[in-house]
Each structure stands twice: as structure tokens, then as C-alpha cells.
Amino acid sequence: QVQLVESGGGLVQPGGSLRLSCAASGSLIAINDMGWYRQVPGKQRELVARITTGGRTNYADSVKGRFTISRDNAKNTVYLQMNSLKPEDTVVYYCYARILRGSFWGDYWGQGTQVTVSS
């Protein structure tokens, strides 16, 4: 009964900006880490950015200085601000959250949102 709903993907020109949002809802007690991953066809899903409840972050080297992850704990929402976008950023992005339901922690994923960077 937990869902992660993503929004904000779309088409942008190189050098442009985009902001992704992901809101968690349902029968959850608490949320630990949240983050964003992306997956190129034929490759394993890779970390883009991750953030703890307290705001500690880490980023993939390829996006450091360009992307910023943030969260609003009151809204159970995580954001990814993407600046200076490059064609190689074109991929499906997936929201991630580690969520407590009842007595168990589990990993949950959004449905994915397409980002396309093209002129």
C-alpha cells in the first residue's frame, strides 16, 4: 500500500534545467534514505543522488556540481534539481525510498520518468 509518484520529467535542450519530484504515500510509518537512480538499456541501474533523513547527500561523479537532491520530510517528498543538462543525461530516472511498514523496512521504487536532453 505504498506508492512513489514521480513527476517533472520531459524534454529539455542541452544546458537547460529540469526538476524531478517524487512523493511517497500510503501505509508507511517512516522513511529513511531517499534517492534517484537511472538506468541505461543494457546496463544496471546506477545511483544518481541519495539523501538521508538528516540531509546528508552523495552523488554520482558524473552529476556532481550539476544536480542537487533535496527532501521535504513533512511532505514525504524528494526532489532532484538538474542543471546544465547534457545529452548523456537522457535516460529513465527512478525514485527510491527505504520505507518502514509495520515492523519491516523495505526498498521501494517509483515507476520511472523519462528525461530527454536534445536540441
Side-chain angles (χ1 to χ4, degrees):
Q1 295 182 18
V2 172
Q3 61 183 104
L4 302 179
V5 180
E6 299 169 322
S7 62
L11 175 65
V12 66
Q13 68 182 52
S17 296
L18 211 58
R19 190 168 92 142
L20 306 183
S21 299
C22 175
S25 63
S27 301
L28 59 90
I29 297 174
I31 303 176
N32 204 313
D33 290 0
M34 302 184 81
W36 294 92
Y37 291 70
R38 62 190 183 188
Q39 189 166 20
V40 176
K43 287 190 173 183
Q44 188 175 1
R45 191 171 296 181
E46 68 174 4
L47 172 72
V48 177
R50 193 154 170 159
I51 185 168
T52 69
T53 303
R56 178 164 42 86
T57 62
N58 66 291
Y59 298 89
D61 288 341
S62 60
V63 307
K64 286 181 179 177
R66 300 190 298 122
F67 292 8
T68 302
I69 190 169
S70 61
R71 65 190 289 170
D72 186 335
N73 291 333
K75 296 181 178 179
N76 292 334
T77 299
V78 63
Y79 306 93
L80 185 67
Q81 178 67 46
M82 302 183 291
N83 299 326
S84 302
L85 283 162
K86 305 174 181 179
E88 48 263 48
D89 296 319
T90 297
V91 72
V92 176
Y93 288 73
Y94 296 89
C95 177
Y96 162 83
R98 187 161 178 81
I99 295 174
L100 177 64
R101 294 186 64 204
S103 300
F104 300 97
W105 289 92
D107 297 326
Y108 293 83
W109 297 91
Q111 77 282 1
T113 185
Q114 176 71 49
V115 170
T116 301
V117 184
S118 177
S119 60

